[in-house]
Amino acid sequence: MPIQYSEELRLFRLATPNTAYFFHVNEGGFLVHDYYGKTLPICDLRYLSARAHKASFSPQSADLTTTPETAPVEYSCNGTGDYRISALQIREVRGNASTDIRYVSHKIYPGKPALKGQPATYGTEDETTTLEVLTRDDVTGAEVTLYYTVFEQYDAIARHATVTNTSDYEMNLERVYSLCCELPFGDWELCHLYGSWAKERQFERKELPHGITAVESKRGSSSHHHNPFAALVKKNTTEDAGDAYGFNLVYSGNFSIQVEQDYDGDLRLLMGINPTDFGWKLEPGESFETPEAVSVYSAEGLGGMSRTFHKLYRNNLCRGPWKNAKRPLLINNWEGTYFNFNEEKIYNIAKQAGELGVEMLVLDDGWFGARNHDKAGLGDWFVNEEKIKGGLPLLSQRIHDLGMKFGLWFEPEMINPDSDLYRAHPDWCLQVENRPLSIGRTQYVLDMSRKDVRDYLFDCMDKILKTTQIEYIKWDFNRNLTEVASFLLEPCRQKEIFHRYVLGLYELLDRLLTAYPDLLLEGCSGGGGRFDPAMLYYSPQIWTSDDTDAMERLTIQYGTSLCYPTSSISSHVSVCPNHQTKRTTPLKTRGDVALAGSFGYELDVTKMSDEEKEEVKGQIAEYHKYYELIHFGDLYRVIPPNESECAWVYVSEDKSEALLTFVCVRFRVQSRRAVCFRGLDPEKIYADEEGKVLPGSAWMNGGVNNVKSMQDGTSFKIHLTEVK
Ligand code: GLA
């Protein structure tokens, strides 16, 4: 029974294969949290929520059933005695913002309800069970429903909340988080992913101070700077062992993760839409639904947590025909040509790449409008026939005649002031009347909350997709939002625009995929500036970073792998000296690093030497050989990237095969050490390709002697197969 309710104890137990989550309804109707961790049978854990100490002057609820300041709760309220961070704040018509929600009823049923107009994980009635708990604040008339879905196969719980206004008056939501999670005192550390352009998702692990720690975005997208992911781990948690609680928000806009460690060391974590610059007016009878948040618990450290996220996202978040289909090996012309190309140049790149085994040509920025540089043309989604003579249908046809697929770049949400679209509809971009508009990469942001804007974008894309054979679209987004106001909304609803923007984006993506269900979308935002689970729902792969330097990619891909599967991490081999870092790295290493993702090339293949082309052929053969293992296998991060090295292992699900990749970042004469496999079956016998035969336990504990004399930036792989 994945979800149980004890009538006698008024206690819920949510169970996944290895974890359990307990809470109960106390005598006052408060939802009190008891436990989240390793699996336990249903039992009376209500005592765990009792906190012996009082903070100071701690008020009790009027019915004396709870001390809100110290009680661990399922969804924290505001203004009624709980002074810690609150998941819910509603300003009611009389102007005050106090809330106090109490249990009304609950439902348990097989399956998982979809969120309206928002991406979320999904599951059949065999795969998932859902608990819905209805609560109510009698004074405001707000009804809050908390949703919990457990997955039969994965140690994951998906959560979200809805708020319904059952009063006769309007109310304003000021904060409405998706998830509130309480954990008892311990040596807690926070892991999260920070970064910037060309330096996305850098892993950071820090001891938590008392007080509030926040990881947030208010840039209008999930952003390069922070990712809507956090993990709470114990001091002694490693990659392979110890408690790891991972949290990830399925949202592409402004998000907030707040963790409060109180005076006693107890933790509360909130995850949801960032309340800064957020507000939502609810008329009587209206509801608001939060985005979904996913939590994963693993007793097998950060590695175990990551592998659960990977499987859940591959199977129950990504959708459509491409979710588990073999992705086309692509070549993208961006770093090869930038804006300087014509149809012949593109055709020649496709032809020569096709001869090496590349399966798809992606035409990047510059094929439309007056887009000969990044200062004009965004919004004018009509082919530039001076550059692409004969138009897109002909170019696509010629590429298909080579036996290849054709992909195209769009940046639908943006507009250059120097564009026909802006000249015709200056009111279509986000702007504040009389305030000069900030500009980023010479572009403004379209108001995606407007239906007319979305209709225009859909029509433009539809016209192209109807007439040109296109299998793939790269969907880019190259600046953040400023002057966020819309001409169409009344002043009291302007705080809704950040969220309405995101809902508008989802609607357009959905409309496109409904009309063209076979399209493969690749997400992008100046590299990986919008790499989040919400985008993965639409685009099963995302361009990870504009930094294609293999050494830089080690830290970027490592951080990304904390919660996103390898199949989602687009990774390309580019030329050297690298365009971002000017560093030269052997082609072999560039290939080995790019193999740990959705593999491709991003260069002008016509400029490669014959020798390099032969090496590319070899890389493509390896891509096919290891595709299943890398895309569907379990990832073990053996040596997280450091100043001198990095190593990782993929193990097939049946443990019959494994691939270790080792990268020497900086060679040190005295740095010999064993590199150990992980995740093998200790009893099975495995052979490497040089004929060394050992039991799994030896490969994992003795490891591989890294005695090869390596140069800076070189790499090797070791492939093991089971000997029966
Ligand atoms: C962004 C993307 C790049 C490329 C350019 C085109 O920076 O991340 O891959 O598509 O835009 O302008």
Side-chain angles (χ1 to χ4, degrees):
M1 286 285 281
I3 300 184
Q4 290 166 288
Y5 177 65
S6 158
E7 196 76 57
E8 185 201 343
L9 306 175
R10 301 225 290 172
L11 173 126
F12 296 94
R13 171 186 180 262
L14 284 62
T16 67
N18 305 295
T19 72
Y21 185 104
F22 283 68
F23 65 96
H24 72 273
V25 183
N26 81 359
E27 58 276 31
F30 287 92
L31 299 182
V32 181
H33 179 80
D34 301 309
Y35 174 83
Y36 185 24
K38 278 186 195 161
T39 191
L40 299 174
I42 190 156
C43 52
D44 189 357
L45 290 184
R46 291 175 302 173
Y47 70 95
L48 286 176
S49 60
R51 303 259 168 100
H53 307 290
K54 288 193 175 175
S56 64
F57 307 142
S58 298
Q60 283 191 283
S61 57
D63 57 7
L64 304 184
T65 55
T66 305
T67 307
E69 183 167 33
T70 54
V73 292
E74 283 303 300
Y75 202 65
S76 54
C77 288
N78 183 61
T80 48
D82 187 340
Y83 299 107
R84 293 164 293 165
I85 45 180
S86 59
L88 181 68
Q89 182 167 311
I90 302 175
R91 197 158 298 275
E92 47 136 322
V93 72
R94 291 169 301 178
N96 82 84
S98 62
T99 37
D100 174 2
I101 56 169
R102 310 279 180 115
Y103 173 84
V104 176
S105 62
H106 73 268
K107 287 194 263 188
I108 297 171
Y109 51 89
K112 181 174 192 297
L115 274 70
K116 282 174 218 73
Q118 295 193 73
T121 56
Y122 57 86
T124 63
E125 294 196 353
D126 294 333
E127 292 172 323
T128 52
T129 307
T130 298
L131 164 67
E132 256 181 62
V133 186
L134 176 65
T135 66
R136 184 176 163 79
D137 179 10
D138 279 335
V139 175
T140 59
E143 283 193 352
V144 180
T145 306
L146 305 179
Y147 291 79
Y148 302 78
T149 297
V150 296
F151 290 82
E152 198 82 348
Q153 288 190 54
Y154 309 117
D155 291 321
I157 304 177
R159 292 175 57 177
H160 76 280
T162 57
V163 181
T164 302
N165 181 0
T166 69
S167 79
D168 295 332
Y169 309 97
E170 70 174 54
M171 55 175 66
N172 286 288
L173 302 185
E174 293 185 334
R175 48 167 59 210
V176 50
Y177 277 84
S178 302
L179 168 149
C180 169
C181 187
E182 308 255 9
L183 291 165
F185 67 92
D187 289 329
W188 290 109
E189 295 184 343
L190 173 71
C191 304
H192 69 110
L193 306 168
Y194 73 95
S196 65
W197 175 78
K199 193 187 168 191
E200 294 88 340
R201 287 169 297 286
Q202 304 292 303
F203 178 78
E204 183 170 71
R205 178 172 173 167
K206 281 266 174 332
E207 198 179 314
L208 270 173
H210 288 88
I212 300 168
T213 304
V215 174
E216 301 183 330
S217 165
K218 49 178 194 166
R219 309 176 77 94
S221 70
S222 44
S223 91
H224 295 91
H225 292 251
H226 293 288
N227 196 264
F229 162 82
L232 293 169
V233 297
K234 296 280 179 58
K235 208 175 201 142
N236 61 3
T237 300
T238 64
E239 266 295 309
D240 303 307
D243 293 327
Y245 295 84
F247 303 91
N248 201 196
L249 187 69
V250 188
Y251 193 56
S252 300
N254 290 348
F255 72 88
S256 160
I257 303 169
Q258 294 199 346
V259 189
E260 181 166 1
Q261 176 161 210
D262 72 12
Y263 66 100
D264 222 7
D266 294 316
L267 289 194
R268 172 177 291 166
L269 177 140
L270 299 178
M271 174 172 259
I273 294 177
N274 192 336
T276 303
D277 292 330
F278 168 79
W280 200 272
K281 182 169 147 189
L282 279 186
E283 298 286 1
E286 284 184 349
S287 295
F288 180 86
E289 191 167 39
T290 71
E292 175 171 285
V294 178
S295 74
V296 165
Y297 167 72
S298 170
E300 289 168 17
L302 286 165
M305 175 206 75
S306 297
R307 288 186 286 280
T308 299
F309 274 119
H310 296 170
K311 286 185 190 142
L312 177 73
Y313 286 176
R314 273 201 326 253
N315 297 318
N316 293 71
L317 176 68
C318 295
R319 12 162 237 168
W322 287 105
K323 88 170 188 180
N324 286 328
K326 193 164 177 181
R327 311 280 168 74
L329 196 170
L330 64 85
I331 186 159
N332 177 306
N333 71 302
W334 178 242
E335 285 199 19
T337 66
Y338 296 104
F339 292 105
N340 186 18
F341 61 81
N342 59 20
E343 81 289 347
E344 242 2 86
K345 178 79 203 168
I346 297 301
Y347 178 75
N348 283 333
I349 291 178
K351 186 166 183 297
Q352 294 199 21
E355 284 162 7
L356 305 179
V358 173
E359 298 162 336
M360 178 163 74
L361 181 286
V362 175
L363 176 55
D364 210 279
D365 195 356
W367 56 267
F368 53 91
R371 188 77 172 167
N372 295 316
H373 41 67
D374 65 8
K375 292 175 183 53
L378 284 176
D380 300 339
W381 300 109
F382 313 100
V383 72
N384 178 340
E385 295 229 16
E386 277 169 32
K387 270 169 125 173
I388 310 287
K389 291 204 179 59
L392 291 173
L394 180 64
L395 177 61
S396 164
Q397 186 55 53
R398 291 178 73 201
I399 288 171
H400 281 91
D401 289 346
L402 296 170
M404 296 172 78
K405 295 180 169 32
F406 180 59
L408 197 59
W409 181 94
F410 283 91
E411 194 181 355
E413 299 153 76
M414 299 294 162
I415 181 168
N416 284 119
D418 183 2
S419 66
D420 291 343
L421 183 66
Y422 187 76
R423 284 181 279 273
H425 297 284
D427 55 326
W428 275 12
C429 58
L430 294 170
Q431 59 196 284
V432 174
E433 231 179 328
N434 298 329
R435 183 175 294 290
L437 254 180
S438 308
I439 195 142
R441 208 192 185 204
T442 347
Q443 62 200 49
Y444 298 146
V445 186
L446 285 171
D447 179 357
M448 295 295 287
S449 72
R450 290 176 69 134
K451 186 168 178 315
D452 50 0
V453 168
R454 299 196 300 269
D455 285 347
Y456 167 81
L457 294 171
F458 179 80
D459 289 345
C460 287
M461 297 178 91
D462 185 48
K463 275 193 192 108
I464 291 172
L465 288 163
K466 264 194 187 128
T467 50
T468 307
Q469 196 181 343
I470 292 178
E471 283 84 8
Y472 157 114
I473 281 180
K474 178 171 168 189
W475 185 297
D476 213 337
F477 169 86
N478 281 323
R479 65 159 287 186
N480 287 129
L481 279 52
T482 53
E483 293 86 30
V484 179
S486 170
F487 281 120
L488 296 192
L489 282 180
E490 48 185 325
C492 65
R493 287 196 180 273
Q494 293 289 326
K495 275 190 151 190
E496 298 177 8
I497 295 166
F498 268 113
H499 185 53
R500 285 183 184 272
Y501 180 99
V502 178
L503 295 180
L505 166 67
Y506 295 157
E507 194 224 53
L508 181 58
L509 286 161
D510 218 57
R511 197 167 159 195
L512 191 70
L513 287 170
T514 305
Y516 298 95
D518 293 334
L519 255 189
L520 170 59
L521 291 193
E522 173 157 326
C524 181
S525 170
R530 199 161 61 181
F531 204 124
D532 57 59
M535 290 313 287
L536 279 187
Y537 180 78
Y538 304 103
S539 53
Q541 58 194 59
I542 300 178
W543 183 227
T544 312
S545 177
D546 277 345
D547 197 334
T548 52
D549 177 290
M551 295 301 112
E552 292 303 302
R553 277 297 184 116
L554 293 176
T555 52
I556 295 169
Q557 294 178 190
Y558 163 74
T560 307
S561 80
L562 259 289
C563 61
Y564 304 108
T566 298
S567 55
S568 69
I569 300 177
S570 287
S571 194
H572 299 167
V573 174
S574 63
V575 287
C576 275
N578 178 271
H579 288 191
Q580 290 75 38
T581 62
K582 313 286 177 250
R583 185 182 285 125
T584 293
T585 312
L587 183 53
K588 173 172 177 358
T589 311
R590 284 178 266 154
D592 285 348
V593 173
L595 268 183
S598 260
F599 185 76
Y601 290 86
E602 176 125 358
L603 41 73
D604 183 352
V605 69
T606 65
K607 293 185 179 151
M608 285 185 125
S609 67
D610 289 346
E611 205 182 316
E612 285 173 323
K613 284 182 177 165
E614 276 312 304
E615 203 172 335
V616 166
K617 277 191 197 163
Q619 287 177 344
I620 292 178
E622 288 193 327
Y623 159 83
H624 291 296
K625 177 174 169 187
Y626 299 130
Y627 186 88
E628 299 279 316
L629 177 56
I630 289 176
H631 277 240
F632 304 114
D634 285 331
L635 171 68
Y636 292 81
R637 293 175 293 250
V638 175
I639 306 175
N642 60 46
E643 276 184 4
S644 32
E645 58 196 359
C646 179
W648 60 92
V649 170
Y650 289 100
V651 181
S652 62
E653 218 167 351
D654 66 1
K655 297 192 182 292
S656 66
E657 197 188 353
L659 179 71
L660 177 144
T661 306
F662 178 91
V663 179
C664 171
V665 176
R666 189 161 65 98
F667 181 67
R668 304 172 105 180
V669 180
Q670 305 299 353
S671 70
R672 184 195 76 80
R673 67 185 235 189
V675 188
C676 294
F677 275 83
R678 301 260 176 83
L680 302 176
D681 181 338
E683 309 290 324
K684 283 188 171 158
I685 307 295
Y686 297 90
D688 72 6
E689 293 186 348
E690 286 169 6
K692 189 185 287 175
V693 179
L694 290 168
S697 51
W699 288 111
M700 289 195 290
N701 297 311
V704 179
N705 236 356
N706 172 23
V707 285
K708 304 183 191 205
S709 172
M710 298 182 78
Q711 302 293 309
D712 290 0
T714 55
S715 62
F716 65 79
K717 298 195 288 300
I718 295 179
H719 182 218
L720 300 184
T721 43
E722 185 187 353
V723 182
K724 298 233 169 145

